[in-house]
Amino acid sequence: MTKRVFRLLKLYKFLIFFCITTLLSNFALLVNNLHASENIFSDFEISEQTLYFEKSEKPIKNIIITNTSKNNLYIQGKVQKITNDSFDSPKYIDTKEIIITPKSTVISPNESKTFRVVYLPTTAKGEAQYQIFFTPFDKDFNTPKSVQTLLVDVYVDPLSITDSLLITRDKEHITFKNKGNRSVYILKAKSCDKEYCENLLDIRIPQNTELKLAIDKDKIFECIQKVGSKYKKIIIKY
């Protein structure tokens, strides 16, 4: 009887050990698969997130994509034009005004490739806005391999430029009215009292747009205003 109990206990210990080992092995395999999957789908970097084509420049820019994973990266680029400059619901159309080459390519692990972006001038009266979508695909370029897509914003100066920014301030707000035909950027903004400065997010004010920024009347507002390649420091007191 004692020998039988001893054998059963020994068998139970083996079964418990086997179950724990199997669970740990399967868990490790799952973690490795998830990590590998993440590498395949998301481990790539892009050199530029925003491109500006100014009127005085050549209409050619470069974007460099680097594959930081251990697998080949099959990447494809697509360009669309934004027809309404809306933060909430932009509208996209296909366009041939921006050309990227190559449209698709394979990037080996830890290697980089350059995409050339060329703008074909149009007769637009206002700033033109586009987005380039870079998406990983399967090796046949038939199916996207991930919902993750890297975006590059592209802004192009109009043929005839009008810059006009009106800034007003009341007790609670600073109001920016961009009456020009290209974007204005508010950079390195901060709101300061005698003891502390609060850093604010950078802002793009599209053409023909009004933007209000909540600022307490007791605080001084400072920023760098960028229009095209021109920078200007601004200090606004109430």
Side-chain angles (χ1 to χ4, degrees):
M1 185 70 178
T2 305
K3 290 184 178 180
R4 186 178 179 185
V5 171
F6 178 75
R7 289 175 181 173
L8 287 173
L9 288 175
K10 197 171 182 180
L11 177 62
Y12 289 152
K13 286 182 180 180
F14 172 77
L15 290 174
I16 292 171
F17 175 78
F18 177 78
C19 291
I20 292 174
T21 305
T22 303
L23 286 172
L24 290 176
S25 177
N26 288 337
F27 178 75
L29 182 61
L30 176 62
V31 171
N32 287 334
N33 285 340
L34 288 174
H35 182 63
S37 176
E38 180 183 355
N39 283 343
I40 293 173
F41 297 155
S42 62
D43 282 3
F44 60 100
E45 298 174 351
I46 194 163
S47 62
E48 306 290 340
Q49 292 184 323
T50 306
L51 295 179
Y52 303 95
F53 286 93
E54 295 189 42
K55 184 179 178 181
S56 58
E57 294 181 327
K58 292 182 179 180
I60 299 174
K61 303 280 186 180
N62 289 328
I63 295 173
I64 299 172
I65 292 182
T66 302
N67 179 7
T68 58
S69 77
K70 297 179 181 179
N71 305 279
N72 283 338
L73 174 65
Y74 301 86
I75 193 84
Q76 180 172 292
K78 179 181 179 180
V79 184
Q80 288 195 310
K81 184 174 184 178
I82 298 177
T83 58
N84 66 324
D85 202 350
S86 169
F87 293 110
D88 299 324
S89 55
K91 294 181 180 179
Y92 297 92
I93 61 171
D94 292 332
T95 181
K96 294 182 180 180
E97 296 170 4
I98 296 281
I99 297 175
I100 56 172
T101 52
K103 289 184 178 180
S104 59
T105 189
V106 182
I107 306 177
S108 300
N110 300 313
E111 297 290 335
S112 300
K113 284 198 176 180
T114 299
F115 289 76
R116 173 158 289 189
V117 182
V118 179
Y119 171 66
L120 303 179
T122 67
T123 57
K125 294 182 180 179
E127 179 183 64
Q129 183 180 353
Y130 309 82
Q131 280 189 331
I132 304 175
F133 302 81
F134 287 103
T135 305
F137 273 73
D138 62 11
K139 64 180 182 180
D140 296 321
F141 289 99
N142 291 324
T143 306
K145 296 290 288 183
S146 171
V147 294
Q148 182 205 12
T149 297
L150 289 182
L151 300 179
V152 178
D153 291 310
V154 181
Y155 301 97
V156 179
D157 275 351
L159 292 178
S160 179
I161 296 172
T162 301
D163 292 329
S164 177
L165 180 66
L166 177 63
I167 305 175
T168 58
R169 181 168 184 174
D170 57 29
K171 293 181 180 180
E172 299 178 344
H173 299 91
I174 295 177
T175 302
F176 301 90
K177 292 183 179 180
N178 182 5
K179 296 184 176 182
N181 62 357
R182 61 177 176 172
S183 296
V184 176
Y185 297 85
I186 303 300
L187 309 175
K188 298 182 179 179
K190 55 186 178 179
S191 172
C192 301
D193 55 25
K194 293 181 180 180
E195 298 180 353
Y196 174 74
C197 283
E198 178 186 2
N199 293 323
L200 306 176
L201 295 175
D202 293 344
I203 303 170
R204 182 179 74 91
I205 308 173
Q207 54 187 324
N208 300 314
T209 300
E210 178 178 314
L211 178 68
K212 284 191 175 184
L213 187 64
I215 299 290
D216 187 83
K217 67 176 182 178
D218 297 325
K219 294 187 176 182
I220 298 173
F221 178 80
E222 299 181 16
C223 72
I224 302 295
Q225 173 188 312
K226 177 182 179 294
V227 184
S229 58
K230 296 180 180 179
Y231 293 83
K232 179 181 179 182
K233 185 173 182 178
I234 295 176
I235 299 176
I236 305 174
K237 301 178 181 180
Y238 177 66

